[in-house]
Amino acid sequence: MNSLTTEQVKVILTLARESSTRDWTMFLLTFRHALRSQEARSLKLDDIDMAAQTIAVNRCKGSKSGVQSLDRHKGEPLLDEVVALKAWLKERREDGSKTLFPSAKGGAMTRMQFNRLFKAYATAAGVPADLAHPHILRYSLCSTMAAQHADIYAIQQRAGHKNISNTMIYTHVSDAQASESCHESLM
């Protein structure tokens, strides 16, 4: 399964931040919470609790919904969800929809609008066309967590998978990595 590198995600987020606080925050949350397009587009203002620094994620496709913490990232403001959300909530104009990331005309964004926005940033970042779709952010977070040896259950929780077998696809270990781990265990 292909995914974006951390650097590619950062370039996309940088381009989005330079263009639009909404887009930066929207794609940052999409990445950090492994959201599907529909889940990101359906977020409501009430799903964000700035005091508790949490986000209520309402999953689709039979996945497990839940409350996740908003990630602070003091060393990298680009990745700090609290900073991004504070900036966005300060700019956001009330349109009556209670949608966290309304379209330019108000109300929830369509799937096509969301996809088009992501594709524009990904293309500008030099991401190959076959990876220039927003679902790649979900794959990329889970793959990055697996590569950093995160607990499989942590990945499952972040992605909202009910079945652990859905999470296992991210734990692709090469023969060389398996040999290295085996060798290290014998030391």
Side-chain angles (χ1 to χ4, degrees):
M1 176 182 313
N2 291 324
S3 63
L4 300 176
T5 66
T6 303
E7 287 310 310
Q8 287 173 310
V9 172
K10 286 181 183 179
V11 172
I12 291 167
L13 293 174
T14 298
L15 292 169
R17 181 174 61 182
E18 291 168 357
S19 176
S20 162
T21 304
R22 178 200 66 182
D23 296 354
W24 165 46
T25 307
M26 180 172 64
F27 291 126
L28 175 60
L29 292 180
T30 300
F31 172 67
R32 301 293 289 190
H33 298 281
L35 301 176
R36 294 176 178 91
S37 167
Q38 181 181 346
E39 295 163 352
R41 292 179 294 110
S42 298
L43 285 171
K44 301 289 184 209
L45 289 168
D46 291 347
D47 293 331
I48 303 298
D49 184 339
M50 292 302 287
Q53 295 187 353
T54 60
I55 178 174
V57 178
N58 298 304
R59 299 283 182 186
C60 58
K61 291 193 169 188
S63 295
K64 291 193 306 190
S65 297
V67 176
Q68 298 180 3
S69 63
L70 293 170
D71 295 324
R72 299 303 314 253
H73 208 296
K74 301 249 185 237
E76 183 101 42
L78 176 70
L79 301 176
D80 191 315
E81 294 176 280
V82 174
V83 167
L85 277 163
K86 282 181 180 177
W88 169 237
L89 292 172
K90 199 182 288 186
E91 280 184 30
R92 185 187 176 280
R93 284 191 231 154
E94 183 53 54
D95 67 347
S97 72
K98 301 296 181 195
T99 300
L100 182 60
F101 303 115
S103 71
K105 293 181 180 179
M109 215 177 276
T110 67
R111 183 176 59 83
M112 292 303 292
Q113 289 170 321
F114 189 82
N115 290 355
R116 197 175 5 211
L117 279 172
F118 183 80
K119 185 175 182 153
Y121 293 121
T123 301
V127 170
D130 63 321
L131 301 179
H133 55 84
H135 202 72
I136 199 70
L137 293 173
R138 180 176 169 83
Y139 291 144
S140 299
L141 177 74
C142 294
S143 294
T144 299
M145 288 178 73
Q148 294 174 350
H149 306 292
D151 182 271
I152 191 70
Y153 297 106
I155 301 169
Q156 179 186 27
Q157 187 275 337
R158 192 57 122 176
H161 293 147
K162 281 188 179 175
N163 188 333
I164 195 74
S165 65
N166 293 333
T167 310
M168 296 301 289
I169 62 172
Y170 299 104
T171 60
H172 43 308
V173 176
S174 70
D175 291 340
Q177 288 170 313
S179 294
E180 183 181 325
S181 292
C182 181
H183 179 72
E184 287 173 6
S185 71
L186 297 174
M187 295 297 207

